[in-house]
Amino acid sequence: MWGAVKEKFVSITQLAILGGAPAFEMPLHVGRPNIGDRQQFMASVGQILDNRWLTNFGPFVGQFERELCRFLGVKHCLTVCNATIGLEIAARALGLAGEVIVPAFTFIATAHSLHWQGITPVFCDIDPATHTIDPAQVEHLITPRTTGIVGVHLWGRPCDIEALQEIAARRKLKLLFDAAHAFGCSYRGRMIGNFGDAEVFSFHATKFFNTFEGGAIVTNDDDLARHANIIRDFGFTGYDRVVEVGTNGKMTEVCAAMGLTNLRSLDDFVRINRRNYHAYRRELDALPGFHLIHYDESERGNFQYMAVEVDAQEAGIGRDDLIKVLHAEKVLARRYFWPGCHRMEPYRTLYPDAAATLPRTEAVADRILVLPTGSAVSEEDIETVCGILRVAVANAAEVRQRITSHG
Ligand code: T4K
């Protein structure tokens, strides 16, 4: 058997999907926000109100950007209102146009940030071992219209950066990284943020490090930083002087204050995520058909996504049925990033045959299950979640039958 089953979950009849009471009273979310020292944050809010300086590059944004540069060891950091706008600004500042190669297995914002500005995202398959863009296929997708590659450090695990840099340099393409998941992670001992032409982080509420909404474009390229800075501020270079099309990408002071507060607790957030990751490993590694993603612990990581691939053959029950079982227990597990960008509009209509060229994306998207973690999730919660999964797997046929008969 697979270790001790939690007392509540010794028998199939206790599952909520079979009529039992839900395991949790309140929903257990995949990524509740981590929140640092409230007093420090509230004091900063008071300071902002006293300053009467709420946005437009105030002192909190300035300090936050300087601290991020120091933490990451990068020359330039431009905070933004969210990572989607950050990707749009970075793409425009880099002069991306025509076609840009992106993984299909990512959050839709990666593709939309390009399509929004008339750039064609060309979907590339992933390496099934890392879930990141496959450099070998990138090479095959390059055409005379290709201007760049956008790699995504999915789950905070870096892309094959060296291979992508080599291709980009040889084929004279721009290389941008969507580092939405990878704040606080390193690649070969160097912090993510230092690679490609630029990298973009997300500080959304659901990320392990948040500024409510927010993000940052980071780069070591002076000209690119200067250009992105102008685009972030409507195209202004001074009072009454606009030199190009820009947008409003600014971060507010209150978001920067949240960032400064949460930076102080960053190590705690990582420690808790790492503890949770190992708790899941202990509970699920021996469960048939459950393949947890691995984090390379010789590098810095944030452990913020607890992603599992479920092999329906080995487990006797598929990912979608397990989601139903978990949701009935108020465990709101997710299927990030099913069904893949190529199966969402407008790409689904534009490229109806894309799935045939993305077999590994398709396979992983059909198996992926993302479980709750973060500072709102305790080891006891994890034991309960894993107890539910064990009972569902041990009684797979009956659970499947119940789900089928109840639609
Ligand atoms: N690139 C990649 C690879 C990304 O994953 C993302 C965003 C981006 C780019 C774009 O970054 P941003 O423009 O967002 O900065 C969420 C987030 O909205 C999104 O930021 C994130 N990736 C994506 C993976 O997940 P949803 O639609 O799944 O979020 P939602 O509202 O269902 O929330 C997720 C969970 O968190 C729920 O279980 C509820 C809980 N929650 C949520 C919020 C907002 C809370 O407990 N408190 C909260 O305040 O997209």
Side-chain angles (χ1 to χ4, degrees), residues 10-16 18-21 391 395 398:
V10 288
S11 128
I12 181 173
T13 55
Q14 289 164 310
L15 289 179
L18 279 114
V391 171
N395 300 279
E398 208 175 330

Side-chain angles (χ1 to χ4, degrees), residues 29-33 82-84 106-107 109-110 152 178 180-181 202 204-207 214 305 334 336-337:
H29 293 286
V30 286
R32 300 228 81 178
N82 61 61
T84 307
T106 177
F107 189 59
T110 318
V152 182
D178 175 340
H181 298 182
S202 170
H204 181 260
T206 56
K207 299 291 180 287
Y305 286 100
R334 299 291 292 266
Y336 293 138
F337 291 98

Side-chain angles (χ1 to χ4, degrees), residues 324-404:
K324 287 180 185 145
V325 169
L326 290 169
H327 282 206
E329 307 287 353
K330 298 205 181 165
V331 178
L332 302 187
R334 299 291 292 266
R335 301 188 282 192
Y336 293 138
F337 291 98
W338 179 85
C341 294
H342 61 296
R343 287 190 179 272
M344 292 181 171
E345 296 294 358
Y347 316 109
R348 182 187 146 100
T349 300
L350 288 171
Y351 320 119
D353 304 323
T357 63
L358 301 164
R360 287 167 282 163
T361 297
E362 293 267 301
V364 173
D366 281 345
R367 294 155 53 119
I368 202 81
L369 175 67
V370 177
L371 296 168
T373 187
S375 55
V377 178
S378 68
E379 284 182 282
E380 291 71 36
D381 292 337
I382 291 171
E383 278 175 36
T384 304
V385 170
C386 296
I388 296 163
L389 291 170
R390 273 196 297 269
V391 171
V393 169
N395 300 279
E398 208 175 330
V399 172
R400 278 194 280 110
Q401 196 263 328
R402 177 71 174 211
I403 289 170
T404 312

Side-chain angles (χ1 to χ4, degrees), residues 156-174:
R157 299 191 301 180
C159 298
D160 185 345
I161 292 176
E162 192 176 56
L164 293 172
Q165 278 180 333
E166 190 278 320
I167 295 169
R170 181 164 40 80
R171 306 296 293 260
K172 298 194 174 16
L173 300 174
K174 300 291 184 191

Side-chain angles (χ1 to χ4, degrees), residues 10-129:
V10 288
S11 128
I12 181 173
T13 55
Q14 289 164 310
L15 289 179
I17 203 143
L18 279 114
F24 292 90
E25 241 177 272
M26 299 295 289
L28 195 68
H29 293 286
V30 286
R32 300 228 81 178
N34 293 323
I35 298 169
D37 184 333
R38 282 169 192 237
Q39 274 185 343
Q40 186 198 333
F41 175 67
M42 295 314 283
S44 300
V45 172
Q47 179 74 57
I48 290 165
L49 298 180
D50 288 347
N51 289 347
R52 288 185 185 264
W53 196 276
L54 308 184
T55 184
N56 290 17
F57 317 112
F60 281 85
V61 162
Q63 189 189 338
F64 186 37
E65 292 186 344
R66 284 190 297 279
E67 291 202 15
L68 288 173
C69 279
R70 233 188 343 264
F71 174 68
L72 298 167
V74 293
K75 273 175 91 175
H76 305 283
C77 171
L78 287 79
T79 53
V80 283
C81 51
N82 61 61
T84 307
I85 295 283
L87 287 166
E88 287 171 19
I89 293 171
R92 191 173 279 263
L94 280 167
L96 296 184
E99 295 175 1
V100 169
I101 300 168
V102 291
F105 191 61
T106 177
F107 189 59
I108 197 67
T110 318
H112 279 354
S113 65
L114 299 168
H115 196 267
W116 186 258
Q117 357 192 16
I119 301 164
T120 303
V122 173
F123 293 118
C124 184
D125 214 352
I126 52 167
D127 175 339

